[in-house]
Amino acid sequence: MGAALYIHIPFCTKRCGYCDFYTVAGQENAIPAYVQAVQDELARYAADPYIQSLTFETLYFGGGTPSLLSPAQLGAIIERAQALLHFAQNTELTVEANPGTVDVAKLSAYREAGVNRISIGIQSFCESELHFLERNHTVDVGVQGVEDARKAGFENISIDLIFALPGQTPARWQENLRRAVELQPQHISAYNLTYEPGTPLTTRLQQQRFRKLSEAGERALQVLTIEILQQHDYGQYEISNFAKSGFASHHNQKYWDGSPYLGIGAAAHSFLQNRRFWNVSNYTHYIRHMAQGDSVVAGEEQLQPDVRSFELLYLGLRQRKGVDLSAFEREVGVSLIEKYAAPLSRLFDRSFDDSRLNRALTEGCEKIQSLLLTIEGGFLKLTDEGLLVCDAICAEFA
Ligand code: SF4
């Protein structure tokens, strides 16, 4: 199975009020030392025989704002990774970029360094929404970022949008989608705004400085998103992700399909040989520990079978294609239908105690359908209605 490599760049020019990623603002002078530490961490893993047995099919620079790195800094990390690890011929190499941190020259140099996919954090085409989210750019600068990426020769451009802002009407969200489609990116991620514990935005909500959109309002905007993007040939392949044919993100699919992934950098998470572990969420500690030859791993967990099964189920159901029942059984050692017979019986309103039926469903020779779920072609998947209440359905299996 192909693996994924993730490199976390925690630097941002300014913190956005809704963000709960590990990022720091105004510390760009630490970037050179951080870039060196990332290369050193890659070298540590290169000595591991299991890592050497993997073929990496994706490399993803996420953050933070990876586009704060100069082409030389980014290129140095890519070159080092390619020298130390095995990559597939057609590796998908993505960099997340924030508007205002890139121009045509920088993006062209990224391409020369091997980057073949760019993901731009537009978030909204409405100035007041950008202000509410405390983004550090205007609408025009966001649009410019996409146009510059195209001028630089990128043929695989993704944009991120956020919906369900307080007071956001279907008409206003529709206008956002219209502008997004007009820009013709190959990929669009549309995320429902979430209020994460401890963020400044959540504090403002708790202080009742605004009212969040109702759940019904959120769902209406989600339905609108699916409708409009599908009308423009953006297929929904995961709850929040839409792509033109052939442009689904390979990197994200690796997370959702349970592939091994290696995370490099402060706060980066890895999943290898059924073990999840994560690095220290402090860039100064990360740089110092790396320089001193100390471990940067802050914690780990061996995934228990129940945790792993639920994770495979949850990640599979978020995707349109659903959970591959044969792959589930191969990894977990028991058929999904047997393991979750009780919740499935509730959700389908029928019994799953016939082992011949269960085998036929797993092998793809039978199909059964309820309002919310389908088992078809050897996959368990949500229907259109089910996708809108995915979290509630997953809770049934927990
Ligand atoms: S630019 Fe992105 S990573 Fe940085 S603070 Fe804003 S949302 Fe978080």
Side-chain angles (χ1 to χ4, degrees):
M1 188 186 279
L5 177 62
Y6 173 81
I7 298 182
H8 191 70
I9 307 293
F11 305 98
C12 288
T13 49
K14 174 177 176 276
R15 288 274 304 166
C16 309
Y18 60 93
C19 180
D20 79 329
F21 296 129
Y22 171 60
T23 67
V24 288
Q27 303 298 321
E28 288 88 315
N29 56 357
I31 289 178
Y34 188 83
V35 167
Q36 184 58 52
V38 162
Q39 293 179 71
D40 293 345
E41 195 187 2
L42 282 166
R44 277 189 190 174
Y45 282 107
D48 180 327
Y50 173 70
I51 298 288
Q52 284 303 329
S53 75
L54 298 172
T55 298
F56 289 91
E57 294 178 347
T58 65
L59 166 51
Y60 191 102
F61 286 87
T65 306
S67 54
L68 285 176
L69 266 55
S70 69
Q73 289 165 332
L74 195 78
I77 297 174
I78 294 170
E79 235 176 73
R80 192 95 171 109
Q82 287 172 337
L84 292 165
L85 308 173
H86 301 296
F87 283 90
Q89 280 261 309
N90 51 351
T91 298
E92 178 189 87
L93 206 166
T94 307
V95 171
E96 286 181 356
N98 267 318
T101 63
V102 285
D103 56 23
V104 179
K106 191 175 192 180
L107 289 163
S108 301
Y110 279 1
R111 276 197 75 226
E112 276 162 35
V115 181
N116 52 31
R117 183 171 185 271
I118 196 100
S119 173
I120 303 179
I122 297 253
Q123 314 309 355
S124 172
F125 292 94
C126 171
E127 298 294 356
S128 64
E129 291 182 355
L130 290 177
H131 181 73
F132 174 82
L133 294 168
E134 298 181 76
R135 296 287 299 176
N136 203 12
H137 57 88
T138 60
V139 172
D140 284 351
V141 172
V143 170
Q144 186 71 49
V146 176
E147 286 170 353
D148 285 352
R150 195 160 291 126
K151 278 187 204 143
F154 279 99
E155 293 172 348
N156 191 350
I157 301 172
S158 176
I159 63 170
D160 281 0
L161 298 175
I162 298 179
F163 69 94
L165 275 63
Q168 191 176 43
T169 59
R172 186 137 55 84
W173 176 232
Q174 197 164 354
E175 176 60 10
N176 268 301
L177 291 169
R178 188 191 67 74
R179 297 282 309 268
V181 164
E182 194 176 67
L183 271 180
Q184 299 187 349
Q186 282 73 23
H187 186 281
I188 298 176
S189 298
Y191 297 107
N192 195 327
L193 177 64
T194 52
Y195 297 88
E196 303 299 338
T199 62
L201 185 68
T202 301
T203 304
R204 279 160 57 204
L205 175 68
Q206 287 160 346
Q207 292 167 344
Q208 301 184 337
R209 289 167 61 185
F210 61 84
R211 284 178 56 192
K212 76 196 278 272
L213 208 63
S214 67
E215 275 184 30
E218 290 183 357
R219 266 208 283 282
L221 297 187
Q222 202 184 342
V223 171
L224 194 60
T225 310
I226 297 166
E227 264 174 30
I228 292 182
L229 292 184
Q230 277 176 352
Q231 277 164 16
H232 291 86
D233 295 327
Y234 290 93
Q236 184 186 30
Y237 66 100
E238 195 262 358
I239 285 189
S240 309
N241 286 282
F242 302 80
K244 295 275 184 184
S245 174
F247 288 97
S249 157
H250 295 175
H251 187 79
N252 285 343
Q253 276 179 319
K254 295 219 164 285
Y255 292 147
W256 302 325
D257 289 342
S259 303
Y261 55 86
L262 174 63
I264 298 287
H269 282 57
S270 302
F271 176 67
L272 300 168
Q273 296 178 299
N274 208 38
R275 176 175 159 253
R276 174 156 304 124
F277 55 96
W278 50 93
N279 284 349
V280 57
S281 293
N282 180 314
Y283 80 95
T284 52
H285 290 183
Y286 174 77
I287 293 171
R288 196 173 63 241
H289 289 333
M290 283 308 307
Q292 292 171 342
D294 296 334
S295 171
V296 289
V297 175
E300 66 170 305
E301 67 176 321
Q302 197 73 32
L303 289 199
Q304 297 305 316
D306 278 353
V307 175
R308 185 63 184 150
S309 330
F310 179 68
E311 210 170 77
L312 286 171
L313 179 96
Y314 169 77
L315 294 172
L317 286 183
R318 291 182 61 87
Q319 300 182 71
R320 271 286 180 188
K321 70 177 182 188
V323 190
D324 181 334
L325 298 177
S326 304
F328 181 97
E329 187 167 345
R330 269 198 309 279
E331 178 152 354
V332 176
V334 55
S335 121
L336 183 148
I337 300 173
E338 271 173 55
K339 179 155 184 71
Y340 293 112
L344 285 172
S345 300
R346 279 198 304 277
L347 288 160
F348 279 96
D349 196 20
R350 62 172 295 166
S351 164
F352 280 86
D353 58 10
D354 176 350
S355 63
R356 272 178 315 177
L357 168 71
N358 293 348
R359 180 59 40 213
L361 287 167
T362 301
E363 287 169 0
C365 338
E366 283 273 357
K367 170 186 172 175
I368 59 170
Q369 170 135 16
S370 74
L371 181 66
L372 300 173
L373 284 162
T374 307
I375 303 178
E376 182 181 9
F379 282 77
L380 169 72
K381 55 188 161 192
L382 295 172
T383 61
D384 289 352
E385 290 79 7
L387 216 58
L388 296 175
V389 287
C390 176
D391 287 344
I393 294 176
C394 288
E396 290 282 325
F397 294 87

